Amino acid sequence: MAAPVDAVTSETILQCERLIRPFIRRTPVVEVDGAEFGLPGRTLTLKLELLQHSGSFKARGAFANLLTRNVPQAGVVAASGGNHGAAVAYAAMKLGKPAKIFVPSIASPAKLQRIRDYGADLAIKGDRYADALAASEIWAQQTGALPVPAFDQKETIMGQGTIGLELSEQAPDIDTLLVSVGGGGLIAGIAAWYAGRINVVGVEPLASPTLTRALEAGHPIDAEAGGLAADSLAPRRVGEQVFPIVQKYARQTVLVSDAAIADAQATLWRALRIVAEPGGAAAFSAILSGAYKPAADERVAVVISGGNTAAVNFDLAIGSR
């Protein structure tokens, strides 16, 4: 059932931020000259959420859940393409709670290793997020473990919304923020924080247009779920609690190709030595590829949301010594 659209507000996000602050990083922003990317005459602001604990923004929502909800002796359970699982595993480790994480076979090795490193019990089930979710729901019923949803949960949305709070302090003059979309928890939280004060634009892969299809239909519906960023941006449908928030505060989406996402990854590494995973680079690919065309004087910021990838393999360098 969808939560009321006002269940997540700037005030609830502020309260959440105070609670999770001891456990999360205030990630930095960097201003870059657009000429470095073939966008002369423009300054871009990048919010580097790939530097968050566990390698993505997901740690915020994970701690929001574990610190505000009653965790039983059986611990917590989560389904994830990888990043949410790593975040829940990290939060559970820090708070001394057991964690069981279900992931699909498409999860990247880097994300699987993160989950293992944090001490969670890892299970690989099915080929897509929906398969892992079904397995996690059975586990919760059998054990009594607390499910920690990846995006469609009020606490998750509030936790992700703390990015908006930080960014509004770090870059108060932006007009537009580009945000990658999978299930929609990130864009819903950020949009709820800004509440229409800036233009929040969702960026989705052409292969996984979950929010775009929902906005067209007027409600969440199943969409294609594939592509280069499928381990983080392909949940099949946007969340029921997510949708009314996004529909109210962030109605615009743009679609980007796998080639554009891969080019954005390569450009971030070449120009800034930022190692972003495909889902983490998707929002940047929108402006780099021209899928999003800002006005001449529009001040644009981009969330670089995750960096859990083995695209740069330092193990090879160590082995060659």
Side-chain angles (χ1 to χ4, degrees), residues 39-63:
L39 301 168
R42 181 174 303 284
T43 298
L44 299 177
T45 300
L46 307 182
K47 175 66 167 168
L48 303 182
E49 196 61 18
L50 77 167
L51 300 180
Q52 188 55 259
H53 291 297
S54 76
S56 83
F57 71 94
K58 294 281 191 177
R60 298 172 183 269
F63 276 110

Side-chain angles (χ1 to χ4, degrees), residues 43-303:
T43 298
L44 299 177
T45 300
L46 307 182
K47 175 66 167 168
L48 303 182
E49 196 61 18
L50 77 167
L51 300 180
Q52 188 55 259
H53 291 297
S54 76
S56 83
F57 71 94
K58 294 281 191 177
R60 298 172 183 269
F63 276 110
N65 274 276
L66 269 66
L67 290 169
T68 60
R69 301 170 68 199
N70 182 37
V71 179
Q73 188 173 357
V76 296
V77 59
S80 169
N83 279 339
H84 176 64
V88 172
Y90 176 80
M93 178 187 70
K94 285 295 184 181
L95 298 174
K97 307 294 184 181
K100 177 84 171 183
I101 308 298
F102 290 87
V103 300
S105 60
I106 59 169
S108 75
K111 296 176 183 181
L112 297 181
Q113 192 58 50
R114 283 268 193 183
I115 295 168
R116 294 189 181 102
D117 288 347
Y118 296 143
D121 185 9
L122 176 66
I124 299 174
K125 295 291 183 180
D127 296 326
R128 288 290 183 264
Y129 169 77
D131 303 319
L133 178 61
S136 74
E137 290 170 345
I138 293 171
W139 178 266
Q141 291 170 1
Q142 292 175 341
T143 67
L146 175 72
V148 181
F151 50 86
D152 207 24
Q153 177 76 28
K154 179 180 69 173
E155 289 80 5
T156 304
I157 297 168
M158 286 192 300
Q160 321 311 23
T162 63
I163 294 174
L165 186 159
E166 285 183 14
L167 187 57
S168 66
E169 296 171 347
Q170 295 166 315
D173 296 327
I174 61 172
D175 301 307
T176 297
L177 179 60
L178 303 179
V179 182
S180 59
V181 177
L186 176 60
I187 191 171
I190 290 174
W193 169 260
Y194 280 106
R197 296 193 303 273
I198 68 169
N199 184 30
V200 179
V201 178
V203 181
E204 297 187 288
L206 280 162
S208 304
T210 54
L211 179 56
T212 300
R213 296 289 179 265
L215 289 171
E216 290 170 349
H219 56 87
I221 60 171
D222 284 352
E224 306 93 308
L228 182 64
D231 66 340
S232 59
L233 303 183
R236 191 171 291 169
R237 71 162 57 193
V238 74
E240 296 286 343
Q241 296 187 40
V242 160
F243 183 73
I245 299 172
V246 178
Q247 189 180 43
K248 182 174 182 179
Y249 293 124
R251 291 189 56 83
Q252 183 179 2
T253 63
V254 295
L255 300 176
V256 291
S257 68
D258 281 356
I261 293 172
D263 183 52
Q265 281 185 282
T267 300
L268 286 168
W269 172 246
R270 183 178 64 251
L272 298 170
R273 285 305 187 252
I274 289 175
V275 182
E277 63 186 89
F284 181 66
S285 76
I287 192 164
L288 187 67
S289 68
Y292 182 77
K293 299 183 185 299
D297 59 348
E298 190 174 343
R299 296 163 294 188
V300 178
V302 181
V303 179

